[in-house]
Amino acid sequence: MIYQVKILTLSAIENMTEMTGKEILNTQKEIYRSLAGKQIKKTFELLYKLTEELQDWSINEKLNELETSYKYMLQYLFDGVEDPKRDQIYTGLIASLFNITDKIAELLLEKETSTFYYSKKRYYRLHPEMNIQQQMTLLDTALSNMSLNDLLSDIENNTQTQNDLKKQVEKAEEELFVRIWCNYPATEDDYSILREGLSPQHFPVETVCLIISALTLNLLHRYDERKLSILLDVYEQSENEDIRQRALCGALILMYIYRTRISFSPTLLSRIEACKENEQFCRETRTIFLQLIKSRETERISRKFTEELLPEMMKISPSIYNKMKQDELMNDMNSLEKNPEWQEILEKSGIADKLKELNDLQLEGADVFMSTFSGLKSFPFFKEAANWFRPFNTGHTMLNSVFPHGNKDNNFKKLISMSHFLCNSDKYSFCLSLTQVPEAQREMMTSQFNAEGIELQNIEKDRLSLNANEVGKNISNQYLQDLYRFFKLSLFRPEFSDPFASHIDLFQISFLQSIFSDDSTLRLIGEFYFRKEYYTDALTLFEILLKRHHSDSELYQKVGYCLQMSGQYQEALQSYLKAEMIYPDSLWTLRRIASCYRTLKKPEAALEYYLRIEQMNPDNLSIEMNIGHCYFEQENYEEALKHYFKVDYLDPRSAKAWRAIAWCSFLAGKLEQAQRYYGKILDNKPTAIDYMNAGHVEFVLKNLNKAIMLYRESITREKGKEESFLNNFRQDVKYLTQLGISSDDIPLLIDQLLYSLSR
């Protein structure tokens, strides 16, 4: 028997093609999907495929044992045997399969992968003495030495020694961070040591915060039910707000990522249910959820800043400089703020509006500085993973030149530390960038802050004292921004699946949904999604509210709008019609109904609503244009022209009305009228299509050379793209033939046009 096993082993090895790291990860994800779908047989097949790679017979034996248990369970079920513990056994089986998948994948990847994480894992495996306990002991020693030095030594004579000891503490913290991050699988001692290290009585708050972040990264890499429980314990038991908020942020992100696995853990589900009995937990979870929604805005804000605001600022900078007199610049550095002409330049360029929008977003807590500081993450400081999560501390040794030791009355130091607009990572970036500035200039810059810092500090203290919850809210917001920067900008981001790559939607976590189930919370989150234009997410919440409030016309309106913005026009129309039944005189609803009918190619129905709106709101230019469009779409050109002319009369400079009149006149055969209006259009910022349409008029009027000239200009406006012009032209051939152009003449004109372009 032993001989046969050996033969099988050798055969398997000879025929085996080693899986790459990517193939291992893909197989692991497929197993997770199978388990989530409760496809247990398929899961076993995939796991056996992985164990062939691993060649670990103890794991293979465990798999055989689990599959045998599953087969017995199925047999008892279909034999009609009652088993009150069947559900419990089934849930436990799935949880075990998740865990064994993790273990197999980890062992395979440790052999195959050269990333930072697995390089460290291999190193620690060769040095088992280098465990978390040993590193905590080293950190304890370094902290004790630094504290003892502070007590026994004279500050002036001991700055260098103190700095060296501080560096030892920082180095020990960085190494502890990595060891916790790479701690998988954990031993019983590891769990005990982690609980001990997460006590503020054992380590300073800054160190505890780093341990929380390391534990969060560890869990993001590999799920561990007990470690997640430890995070929840830290949140509930700590009295320090920095510690509590970091633990809760990490726990909630992990709950979302592992929501399927947690649903198979009765112990952890009971633990979370106990948390939900605490109103503070529920309130802070809602707050963090709103902040996670805001994090979706970060990329959009960054694009707005880099693609819209900065280019416009570069354009207007010469204008501002030309407005400034050299003597004013020399005599009054604040003159830029006082000259109204410069404000006028900002307003005309649109920059003032964009700056106001960014400022409003900042006041809401949005992350407006991501793009600003993304280029300041290349300092050696950020080559240590721990430093991306380090609470801002002006005493860090890398900031010695910015905050000299012993300078306690530094308002700049206090102001940077207290700022809630910058996250910790960006505060370090800002201060590290100052280390690159010559000392004289740096002192001049910081002295400006020192002169005005006191008043700003008082404002900040007053604001925070108004609402104690604001403190926790600011901490969690800054920590989420720190996390966001780590996963988007750090050298370590390839080690992880980015949790911010998609929306972290806490509402989708079944065991947390009750936190958000009351009307006011659903409405708040729904309105927040709605305002930020996440219409699909808003729709989900508004539809839940509609099931409770069948006669709320505003909800029907917003559901309709979400559907319309998602391209579901028929469904949107039904929702708008229900809103109309409840509140028939809403102009907004009537316009939306008409708009949907037009989109659905039902101009007769749309016209009925636009005419109702016209009676309620006469001489509205937009309504008159839409009435004209409805007649136009029914090919009732005479009626369409009446309304287009009305718009032209009410607003003689409306280019939209001119275009509608010109094209409608052309189709109605009123060629001179069309020619006259195209003349006006071509004198007032014409487009390529305008030149082509004007060319059509001349073509029908037999002014062939003028038609060629206008068509050539249309192609020029299309940046010489002949094919684009021809595609548009082909769509209009039917109109040309209807107005008397011979279909045989059209290719001749096109050839003449193309010849003229090549001359």
Side-chain angles (χ1 to χ4, degrees), residues 133-164:
Q133 175 66 78
Q134 183 248 16
Q135 190 58 36
M136 281 194 181
T137 301
L138 290 175
L139 179 55
D140 272 330
T141 302
L143 286 165
S144 298
N145 290 341
M146 188 173 69
S147 298
L148 185 62
N149 183 72
D150 284 345
L151 288 172
L152 299 179
S153 303
D154 179 82
I155 290 176
E156 290 184 5
N157 298 327
N158 201 45
T159 300
Q160 185 57 49
T161 302
Q162 187 181 44
N163 193 57
D164 291 342

Side-chain angles (χ1 to χ4, degrees), residues 67-115:
E67 188 174 26
T68 300
S69 297
Y70 182 57
K71 288 178 178 177
Y72 277 126
M73 191 193 85
L74 291 176
Q75 182 180 335
Y76 293 155
L77 173 65
F78 288 96
D79 286 346
V81 178
E82 290 293 330
D83 185 354
K85 293 187 177 180
R86 181 179 294 128
D87 289 343
Q88 181 181 338
I89 292 169
Y90 186 52
T91 299
L93 171 70
I94 293 175
S96 295
L97 289 172
F98 268 118
N99 291 334
I100 202 168
T101 301
D102 285 344
K103 184 176 181 181
I104 294 169
E106 186 78 0
L107 290 170
L108 285 171
L109 290 168
E110 191 174 325
K111 290 197 301 181
E112 300 294 333
T113 310
S114 59
T115 60

Side-chain angles (χ1 to χ4, degrees), residues 252-259 285-286 288-296 499-513 516 522 525-526 529 534-541 544:
L252 290 174
I253 292 172
L254 291 162
M255 284 182 203
Y256 174 74
I257 291 170
Y258 295 117
R259 57 194 182 279
T285 296
R286 294 184 199 110
I288 290 172
F289 185 23
L290 289 174
Q291 291 169 338
L292 286 167
I293 297 172
K294 289 174 190 172
S295 73
R296 298 172 72 181
F500 294 98
S502 59
H503 177 33
I504 302 173
D505 186 356
L506 301 187
F507 188 76
Q508 297 301 319
I509 304 175
S510 58
F511 48 84
L512 288 184
Q513 264 188 8
F516 314 107
L522 284 173
I525 297 172
Y529 277 133
Y534 299 116
Y535 296 116
T536 302
D537 298 301
L539 178 63
T540 301
L541 303 184
I544 293 172

Side-chain angles (χ1 to χ4, degrees), residues 57-300:
W57 300 108
S58 63
I59 291 179
N60 210 61
E61 186 178 341
K62 177 64 177 175
L63 265 183
N64 286 329
E65 180 185 321
L66 289 171
E67 188 174 26
T68 300
S69 297
Y70 182 57
K71 288 178 178 177
Y72 277 126
M73 191 193 85
L74 291 176
Q75 182 180 335
Y76 293 155
L77 173 65
F78 288 96
D79 286 346
V81 178
E82 290 293 330
D83 185 354
K85 293 187 177 180
R86 181 179 294 128
D87 289 343
Q88 181 181 338
I89 292 169
Y90 186 52
T91 299
L93 171 70
I94 293 175
S96 295
L97 289 172
F98 268 118
N99 291 334
I100 202 168
T101 301
D102 285 344
K103 184 176 181 181
I104 294 169
E106 186 78 0
L107 290 170
L108 285 171
L109 290 168
E110 191 174 325
K111 290 197 301 181
E112 300 294 333
T113 310
S114 59
T115 60
F116 175 86
Y117 174 90
Y118 287 109
S119 297
K120 284 291 184 181
K121 285 287 298 285
R122 287 191 288 272
Y123 181 75
Y124 293 146
R125 186 180 288 276
L126 293 172
H127 299 84
E129 76 283 357
M130 298 179 69
N131 52 34
I132 298 175
Q133 175 66 78
Q134 183 248 16
Q135 190 58 36
M136 281 194 181
T137 301
L138 290 175
L139 179 55
D140 272 330
T141 302
L143 286 165
S144 298
N145 290 341
M146 188 173 69
S147 298
L148 185 62
N149 183 72
D150 284 345
L151 288 172
L152 299 179
S153 303
D154 179 82
I155 290 176
E156 290 184 5
N157 298 327
N158 201 45
T159 300
Q160 185 57 49
T161 302
Q162 187 181 44
N163 193 57
D164 291 342
L165 291 172
K166 179 63 176 172
K167 283 183 179 178
Q168 290 176 21
V169 170
E170 291 164 1
K171 191 66 181 173
E173 287 174 334
E174 291 162 3
E175 181 59 31
L176 176 61
F177 186 96
V178 174
R179 292 195 194 179
I180 293 173
W181 171 15
C182 298
N183 177 247
Y184 178 87
T187 65
E188 286 298 324
D189 286 343
D190 291 333
Y191 293 122
S192 300
I193 293 159
L194 282 170
R195 288 186 179 278
E196 181 184 346
L198 285 165
S199 167
Q201 287 74 37
H202 186 110
F203 284 129
V205 169
E206 182 179 339
T207 305
V208 176
C209 288
L210 289 175
I211 293 174
I212 288 169
S213 296
L215 188 56
T216 300
L217 292 192
N218 173 264
L219 282 161
L220 283 169
H221 190 87
R222 286 283 174 248
Y223 175 77
D224 188 316
E225 179 180 311
R226 292 175 66 179
K227 287 177 180 175
L228 184 50
S229 286
I230 289 173
L231 273 183
L232 290 172
D233 290 340
V234 171
Y235 164 74
E236 288 195 322
Q237 295 168 11
S238 177
E239 295 180 359
N240 181 274
E241 205 62 30
D242 284 284
I243 293 171
R244 292 180 67 259
Q245 294 301 324
R246 282 169 170 77
L248 182 58
C249 285
L252 290 174
I253 292 172
L254 291 162
M255 284 182 203
Y256 174 74
I257 291 170
Y258 295 117
R259 57 194 182 279
T260 302
R261 295 184 69 162
I262 293 172
S263 67
F264 294 108
S265 171
T267 303
L268 196 49
L269 287 174
S270 298
R271 178 75 184 79
I272 294 168
E273 284 300 314
C275 288
K276 286 160 59 179
E277 293 177 5
N278 183 340
E279 177 52 36
Q280 186 177 13
F281 171 83
C282 295
R283 184 179 66 251
E284 291 176 340
T285 296
R286 294 184 199 110
T287 297
I288 290 172
F289 185 23
L290 289 174
Q291 291 169 338
L292 286 167
I293 297 172
K294 289 174 190 172
S295 73
R296 298 172 72 181
E297 292 284 282
T298 303
E299 292 299 326
R300 188 188 298 181

Side-chain angles (χ1 to χ4, degrees), residues 701-715:
L701 287 170
K702 308 301 183 184
N703 299 325
L704 300 183
N705 287 330
K706 189 170 183 182
I708 293 288
M709 181 193 72
L710 291 167
Y711 288 148
R712 286 185 60 176
E713 184 61 29
S714 178
I715 293 172

Side-chain angles (χ1 to χ4, degrees), residues 648 652-663 677 680-681 684:
D648 188 33
R653 292 184 293 181
S654 173
K656 288 183 179 179
W658 297 347
R659 287 187 173 92
I661 292 169
W663 185 245
Y677 270 89
K680 294 171 69 173
I681 293 167
N684 185 49

